[in-house]
Amino acid sequence: MRLLLVEDEPKVASFIRRALEEESYAVDVCVDGTTGLDWAQGVNYDLIILDLMLPGLPGLQLLRQLRAAGVKTPVLILTARSEVDQRVKGLDAGADDYLTKPFAIEELIARARALFRRASGTPTGTLQVDDLVLNPVTREVTRAGQRIELTAKEYALLEYLMRNAGRVLTRPMITEHVWDLDFDTFTNVIDVYISYLRNKIDRGRENSLIQTVRGSGYMIRADS
Ligand code: CA
């Protein structure tokens, strides 16, 4: 899951970014509304966390322009407690949820998860492909009931594959959703991580879940 955080207060931004990265999300941060709108339209983010009081373009205007341009990415707005009017306007302008500052970081993360669930149409949040199960709340992964230990990046890659089970995912799609802007697209890092995942998930099993689609990319699905 790749997130865009538009927040001009450096301390708040780095605090949120660290917490989200600990949850294995890829996070891009930008500090003004104009750049925020640019990135939000240029990258296919899974969630945008948007502060309303921003230099450049105010958050509310950013949101309106984004929706007018047809971008449907879920948006969570951040407002001050006193700004009831701003929250109402934000929701009316196409925000999916809001949090008032100051907030508990656990609540922000839980709301982000809820928005991902809604977007992928999995009400309980648990993802399953054959006997492989991933729980986004506990971040526990099991295959045939056996616990599988993954690094943060392996987990993020598997979550993206499982949210799109049965769909072919190209390397650019994987890059866009699992890695952030610092990613070097000229490396074969995706193939390397796929092989790490295969070692942990498919090795020694009768059926392999992670499929290579020649010339296209990768897909996870129950072998038929
Ligand atoms: Ca602000």
Side-chain angles (χ1 to χ4, degrees):
M1 300 286 108
R2 180 159 171 198
L3 288 73
L4 173 63
L5 171 63
V6 191
E7 166 64 77
D8 60 315
E9 287 165 64
K11 272 189 184 164
V12 179
S14 72
F15 176 63
I16 296 175
R17 171 184 221 154
R18 253 180 294 138
L20 292 170
E21 284 178 346
E22 267 171 42
E23 297 293 309
S24 311
Y25 300 132
V27 185
D28 297 328
V29 179
C30 73
V31 296
D32 72 275
T34 317
T35 314
L37 180 62
D38 219 40
W39 290 9
Q41 289 183 289
V43 177
N44 192 3
Y45 287 103
D46 298 293
L47 175 66
I48 297 166
I49 299 172
L50 178 65
D51 184 35
L52 289 189
M53 301 276 277
L54 289 170
L57 189 70
L60 212 49
Q61 255 169 273
L62 188 165
L63 181 56
R64 287 197 184 112
Q65 290 189 32
L66 197 64
R67 292 306 187 223
V71 177
K72 295 189 174 74
T73 310
V75 173
L76 172 72
I77 52 175
L78 304 177
T79 68
R81 199 163 292 278
S82 55
E83 297 169 334
V84 181
D85 180 49
Q86 292 287 300
R87 289 201 287 282
V88 173
K89 282 186 178 149
L91 291 169
D92 284 342
D96 298 273
D97 200 359
Y98 70 87
L99 263 180
T100 54
K101 291 178 175 180
F103 51 82
I105 194 72
E106 295 79 12
E107 186 173 2
L108 175 73
I109 289 163
R111 282 173 189 273
R113 273 198 303 262
L115 291 168
F116 293 147
R117 273 202 306 274
R118 229 178 286 165
S120 62
T122 50
T124 64
T126 303
L127 305 173
Q128 182 158 6
V129 175
D130 200 354
D131 56 355
L132 178 68
V133 179
L134 179 148
N135 182 332
V137 178
T138 60
R139 299 205 290 149
E140 197 175 80
V141 175
T142 59
R143 180 143 192 210
Q146 275 178 305
R147 181 86 184 255
I148 296 170
E149 298 296 336
L150 299 176
T151 65
K153 231 27 180 181
E154 290 164 358
Y155 174 87
L157 177 58
L158 182 64
E159 184 182 5
Y160 180 58
L161 288 170
M162 290 181 75
R163 282 194 191 277
N164 295 283
R167 273 182 71 198
V168 180
L169 302 172
T170 63
R171 286 177 186 80
M173 285 163 82
I174 295 172
T175 307
E176 194 168 39
H177 289 273
V178 181
W179 273 271
D180 58 33
L181 283 178
D182 300 327
F183 180 71
D184 175 5
T185 46
F186 296 103
T187 66
N188 64 342
V189 70
I190 291 170
D191 306 280
V192 171
Y193 273 92
I194 288 281
S195 77
Y196 291 159
L197 268 186
R198 280 191 162 134
N199 271 334
K200 293 186 176 181
I201 283 160
D202 285 336
R203 197 177 188 173
R205 310 265 176 187
E206 266 176 32
N207 56 334
S208 295
L209 301 179
I210 300 172
Q211 327 269 328
T212 302
V213 183
R214 204 172 290 277
S216 301
Y218 297 102
M219 171 168 64
I220 197 164
R221 67 154 187 222
D223 219 1
S224 49

